């Protein structure tokens, strides 16, 4: 149980384009989903927290107009990186919670490369 | 000062050895502690929660020292498959669900 999927696994896009990443909880309803970013040799950095049906809460320094988050249902959240630039290249990971406090289940991550 | 600090390593250890690493956290109000394992280019996976009394899961032992605000992870009889980055994680005291992540300690087990 507690499986989270994430698509795509990796994506290469040109600078200026937008990329959408999906995060799904497959066998449970996720009350809250998190989006993280991880640069090489660095820790996971929380970008935003989203609850189904409400606006995401962004961490300080994360541009909400650049990283659009939609949490349309209890099993799906999407992150859209708009007008991507090479500095947005990173490993984006989602997690979902709903089975208990602090229990987060991670998707396999999406490796984004912007050329 | 970082909220969760870990020695980045890498720790190069021969197979079969025992290895331990620590992590310190800054907020004394944190109540929940975890060790996650992350393989290269993969998502983190929960290794074990850390309880006040200390806990053991097979070859892995986790301990918590609240007075000194550090958490330790001990791995006995290390296997090649233990090679990974180990992330120390604590809860954000002012949130019901947010976690604060250490940058991880890289462990390399050599044959």
């Amino acid at each position: 149980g507690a499986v989270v999927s994430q698509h795509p696994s990796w994506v290469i896009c040109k600078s200026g384009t937008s990329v959408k990443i999906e995060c799904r909880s497959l066998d449970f309803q996720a009350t809250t989903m998190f989006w993280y970013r991880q640069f090489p040799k660095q820790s996971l950095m929380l970008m935003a927290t989203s609850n189904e049906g409400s606006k995401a809460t962004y961490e300080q320094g994360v541009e909400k107009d650049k990283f659009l988050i939609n949490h349309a249902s209890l099993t799906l959240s999407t992150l859209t990186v708009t007008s991507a630039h090479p500095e947005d290249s990173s490993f984006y990971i989602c997690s979902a919670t709903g089975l208990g406090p602090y229990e987060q289940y991670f998707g396999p991550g999406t490796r984004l490369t912007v050329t | 000062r970082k909220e969760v600090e870990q020695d980045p390593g890498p720790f190069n250890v021969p197979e079969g050895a025992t290895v331990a690493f620590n992590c310190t956290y800054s907020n004394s109000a944190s109540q929940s502690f975890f060790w996650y394992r992350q393989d290269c280019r993969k998502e983190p996976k929960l290794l074990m929660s850390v309880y006040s009394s200390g806990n053991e899961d097979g070859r892995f032992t986790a301990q918590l020292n609240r007075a000194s605000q550090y958490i330790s992870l001990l791995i006995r009889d290390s296997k090649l498959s233990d090679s990974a980055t180990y992330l120390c994680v604590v809860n954000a005291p002012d949130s019901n669900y947010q976690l604060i992540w250490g940058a991880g300690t890289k462990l390399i087990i050599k044959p």
Side-chain angles (χ1 to χ4, degrees):
Chain A
V3 178
V4 176
S5 71
Q6 197 172 330
H7 295 283
S9 300
W10 57 269
V11 57
I12 302 172
C13 70
K14 292 187 177 179
S15 188
T17 60
S18 296
V19 175
K20 180 186 281 189
I21 303 169
E22 289 190 352
C23 177
R24 292 180 187 271
S25 56
L26 299 185
D27 51 1
F28 67 104
Q29 292 188 326
T31 52
T32 304
M33 287 186 168
F34 303 90
W35 286 97
Y36 293 88
R37 181 166 54 180
Q38 186 176 33
F39 293 105
K41 300 186 180 182
Q42 293 187 24
S43 63
L44 286 171
M45 296 299 296
L46 181 64
M47 298 176 67
T49 303
S50 73
N51 294 293
E52 182 264 340
S54 61
K55 289 184 179 180
T57 302
Y58 290 81
E59 295 300 300
Q60 194 171 10
V62 178
E63 299 172 59
K64 61 181 181 181
D65 294 329
K66 180 170 180 63
F67 299 99
L68 302 178
I69 292 172
N70 184 281
H71 194 156
S73 74
L74 284 171
T75 60
L76 173 64
S77 176
T78 60
L79 167 69
T80 302
V81 183
T82 62
S83 186
H85 288 98
E87 58 265 30
D88 298 324
S89 299
S90 186
F91 191 45
Y92 291 86
I93 312 175
C94 72
S95 71
T97 188
L99 302 178
Y102 307 121
E103 287 185 25
Q104 293 191 22
Y105 298 91
F106 286 84
T110 297
R111 193 159 300 279
L112 171 64
T113 302
V114 184
T115 60
Chain B
R1 184 186 170 189
K2 292 180 183 176
E3 292 182 272
V4 178
E5 287 204 67
Q6 294 182 253
D7 183 335
F11 285 31
N12 291 282
V13 174
E15 191 177 8
T18 296
V19 60
F21 24 83
N22 297 332
C23 143
T24 57
Y25 60 96
S26 61
N27 195 322
S28 60
S30 290
Q31 295 291 325
S32 299
F33 310 91
F34 310 90
W35 283 103
Y36 276 75
R37 170 198 170 123
Q38 187 174 23
D39 292 290
C40 188
R41 295 176 173 261
K42 299 283 188 181
E43 76 278 19
K45 294 187 177 177
L46 180 63
L47 180 66
M48 57 198 305
S49 301
V50 186
Y51 303 121
S52 297
S53 54
N55 48 302
E56 189 174 307
D57 182 1
R59 298 181 293 107
F60 298 84
T61 300
Q63 299 222 313
L64 169 64
N65 184 317
R66 284 189 188 275
S68 301
Q69 293 179 211
Y70 80 76
I71 308 151
S72 65
L73 178 67
L74 179 82
I75 305 174
R76 289 181 297 278
D77 187 23
S78 53
K79 312 289 184 192
L80 294 176
S81 57
D82 294 333
S83 297
T85 295
Y86 290 84
L87 302 166
C88 175
V89 187
V90 307
N91 74 295
D94 55 352
S95 166
N96 288 329
Y97 46 73
Q98 285 196 4
L99 299 173
I100 304 170
W101 297 77
T105 297
K106 187 169 184 177
L107 176 64
I108 300 171
I109 306 298
K110 302 203 166 184

